[in-house]
Amino acid sequence: HPLSITVVRSFTAKSRARAAPPPAGSVLFEDTSSTAPAMNSQGYYTPGYDMQGASSDMQGGPGAGNMFADPMANAAMMYGSSLANQGKDIVNKEISRFMSVNKLKYFFAVDTRYVLKKLLIIMFPYTHQDWEVRYHRDTPLPPRQDVNAPDLYIPTMAFITYILLAGMALGIQKRFSPEVLGLCASTALVWIIIEVLVLLLSLYLLTVHSDLSTFDLMAYSGYKYVGIIFTVLCGLLFGSDGYFVALAWSSCALMFFIVRSLKMKILTSISSDTMGMASSAKPQLRLYITVATAVFQPIIIYWLTSHLVR
Amino acid sequence: RILRVVGAASMALTLYALIQTAVLCTNALAVLHEERFLSKLGWGVEQGVGGFGDDPGVKAQILNLIRSVRTVMRDGGYIIPYLCCVLLISLS
C-alpha cells in the first residue's frame, strides 16, 4: 500500500534524524511529530534497521539495555551493537567522501501532504501560482515545508514503480523474463544519467551560476517517471487510444512543469557578467537549455513506454 | 511481430555501453593534438584565455574543458586511458 509505505518511510526518516545529532542548519530536521522518544515504537516501525534500534537503545541509558535475564546474552548484545556501531561509522565515513549525506537527507525529508500535493502539481501544473523556492536564512527549505522544493523520494519511488509496471506490461504480452526486467531498469537508469550529465555539461559551458546541484537535476529529471507511470497505466487499461491521450496529457503537463521550475533557477541566476555588458546571446542560450530539457521529456517518455503498450 | 522484436532490441542500452562510450569519448578528447589540429582550427591554447573579469563564453569553456581533460589524462594518469581503450576494444 503506497500510503502506508509513505508513512513508514517518513517515520524512518524522522527516527534516523533523531538518532543522529542534528546538523548546524537544524531547521531541516525539526521534529514535526510528537517529541516522545518512544524507542519501542521505533523498534516496531523499523524492522530492517536493527542497528538503529540497538544504537538508540544504547543511547537511552545504561539501564534500558538489559532486556534479558541472562547476563551473557546482555553482554553479547552490547558487544554486537558496539560492533555494528563501528561498522556504521566506517561506512558513513567512506560514503561521505563521495557525496554529502546531509545534502542527500534534505531531499528525503518529505511527508505525506507534500507528496500528494507534488503529485498533483506534476500531473496538473496549470493552476499552481507560486513557483518560487522559499529560503530560510540562505538555506533552502526542506520539501516538508515548501512544496516547490525538489525531492528525491518521488523520483525514486516512481522509478521503482515504473520497473514493476514494465514487468507487468511485458508479462501481459507474454514477453516477460527476469533478464528483460534488468535490461529495462538499466536502460532507464542510463537515460537518467545521460540527461543529468548533458544538463550539467551545458550549465557548465554557459557558466550559469545557479544553485542547481547534481541531486537537484536528478530530482527534476526523475519527475518524468510519474508521467510515465500514468501513461503506461492508461495504455494498459484503455488500449492504444488511451495510451496516446495519456501521453499527450502527461507530456504537456511535464513540459509546463519543467519550464516553470527551471525558469526560476536558470534564467534568473546571477552571472558574473551582469549590468549592461550582458550579451544578447546569453538569455537566449539559457532559454534554449530550458526548452530543450522540456522537449526532451516527451521524447524519452515515448521511447521508454512505446514497447510496453503495443 | 517483427515490430515487437525490433522494439525489444532497441532497448539494449546497458550501463556497460554507457561506460564504454564515456571512456572512449574522454580518450578521444585527450588525444586531440595541440599543434597539428587545434591551432589550425583556431582552437589553440592561446585563443582560449580571454576576458578575465568577464564571463568566459562558450568557446573558451570548451577549450578549457579539452585542455583540462588532456592534462588529467597525460600528466596525471598516463597509463589509464591506454589500458582502458585496450581492454574495451578487445572485449567489445
Side-chain angles (χ1 to χ4, degrees):
Chain A
H1 202 279
L3 211 59
S4 63
I5 294 178
T6 314
V7 169
V8 167
R9 283 196 195 258
S10 62
F11 260 92
T12 57
K14 286 178 205 159
S15 69
R16 245 179 286 150
R18 253 180 281 146
S26 63
V27 70
L28 281 186
F29 295 113
E30 270 168 15
D31 209 343
T32 53
S33 65
S34 70
T35 54
M39 276 178 239
N40 293 332
S41 64
Q42 266 188 20
Y44 175 70
Y45 277 121
T46 63
Y49 294 95
D50 288 324
M51 296 195 300
Q52 280 295 328
S55 69
S56 57
D57 273 338
M58 293 270 298
Q59 292 169 9
N66 298 331
M67 295 202 303
F68 304 104
D70 185 11
M72 280 302 291
N74 272 337
M77 200 183 75
M78 284 206 183
Y79 180 62
S81 56
S82 77
L83 265 187
N85 270 345
Q86 278 177 12
K88 193 171 57 138
D89 287 337
I90 292 179
V91 166
N92 276 344
K93 202 161 41 128
E94 295 298 315
I95 288 186
S96 60
R97 261 202 263 158
F98 293 112
M99 61 180 179
S100 152
V101 185
N102 276 336
K103 193 85 173 49
L104 197 58
K105 277 188 192 173
Y106 160 84
F107 286 100
F108 284 98
V110 297
D111 60 352
T112 315
R113 199 181 51 99
Y114 167 81
V115 168
L116 289 176
K117 282 178 74 169
K118 193 80 177 192
L119 286 178
L120 191 66
I121 293 178
I122 293 176
M123 292 316 306
F124 196 75
Y126 310 107
T127 56
H128 188 65
Q129 303 297 336
D130 177 26
W131 292 86
E132 189 77 31
V133 178
R134 281 186 280 273
Y135 284 83
H136 171 84
R137 286 187 233 139
D138 270 356
T139 60
L141 281 181
R144 218 178 272 155
Q145 289 150 10
D146 173 25
V147 86
N148 288 320
D151 73 311
L152 278 176
Y153 172 80
I154 292 182
T156 317
M157 293 293 134
F159 181 72
I160 298 178
T161 312
Y162 160 70
I163 296 176
L164 296 176
L165 258 186
M168 201 178 76
L170 289 176
I172 289 180
Q173 295 175 4
K174 306 214 180 3
R175 275 198 290 150
F176 180 76
S177 74
E179 295 93 32
V180 173
L181 209 60
L183 203 62
C184 190
S186 60
T187 306
L189 200 64
V190 159
W191 278 115
I192 290 187
I193 293 177
I194 289 180
E195 183 178 354
V196 169
L197 283 181
V198 165
L199 263 179
L200 277 175
L201 186 70
S202 52
L203 286 181
Y204 167 75
L205 284 183
L206 293 182
T207 60
V208 176
H209 299 294
S210 69
D211 56 351
L212 283 177
S213 71
T214 314
F215 290 135
D216 285 328
L217 292 177
M218 275 169 58
Y220 282 120
S221 62
Y223 282 139
K224 69 164 81 64
Y225 283 101
V226 180
I228 288 182
I229 291 173
F230 173 69
T231 312
V232 171
L233 272 179
C234 285
L236 286 179
L237 289 175
F238 301 118
S240 200
D241 299 330
Y243 169 69
F244 282 112
V245 165
L247 181 67
W249 172 271
S250 56
S251 307
C252 293
L254 258 176
M255 284 201 285
F256 191 83
F257 175 78
I258 291 280
V259 165
R260 289 302 293 268
S261 304
L262 291 184
K263 191 170 72 160
M264 291 288 173
K265 300 252 174 143
I266 297 185
L267 288 178
T268 60
S269 72
I270 304 175
S271 65
S272 59
D273 159 37
T274 50
M275 318 270 125
M277 292 267 292
S279 56
S280 59
K282 282 307 178 53
Q284 276 184 10
L285 284 177
R286 295 180 187 198
L287 192 64
Y288 286 159
I289 289 183
T290 319
V291 171
T293 312
V295 166
F296 178 71
Q297 315 283 335
I299 298 178
I300 196 67
I301 293 180
Y302 181 72
W303 185 263
L304 284 179
T305 55
S306 65
H307 68 99
L308 295 177
V309 220
R310 286 280 171 247
Chain B
R1 193 162 298 180
I2 298 178
L3 261 175
R4 262 189 277 164
V5 167
V6 165
S10 71
M11 273 256 305
L13 188 64
T14 58
L15 213 56
Y16 181 65
L18 184 68
I19 299 179
Q20 244 181 338
T21 315
V23 171
L24 285 175
C25 281
T26 316
N27 184 65
L29 272 187
V31 299
L32 284 174
H33 198 280
E34 178 62 45
E35 301 174 356
R36 283 185 221 152
F37 184 62
L38 295 178
S39 300
K40 299 287 169 52
L41 273 187
W43 280 27
V45 172
E46 63 274 1
Q47 286 115 339
V49 179
F52 269 106
D54 272 354
D55 238 356
V58 185
K59 178 174 159 179
Q61 290 286 91
I62 297 182
L63 297 182
N64 263 340
L65 198 59
I66 295 181
R67 196 157 44 103
S68 50
V69 167
R70 200 186 322 139
T71 311
V72 164
M73 286 296 198
R74 284 193 185 163
D75 306 333
Y78 189 83
I79 291 295
I80 295 178
Y82 291 106
L83 270 185
C84 281
C85 286
V86 163
L87 274 174
L88 284 176
I89 295 178
S90 64
L91 282 179
S92 65

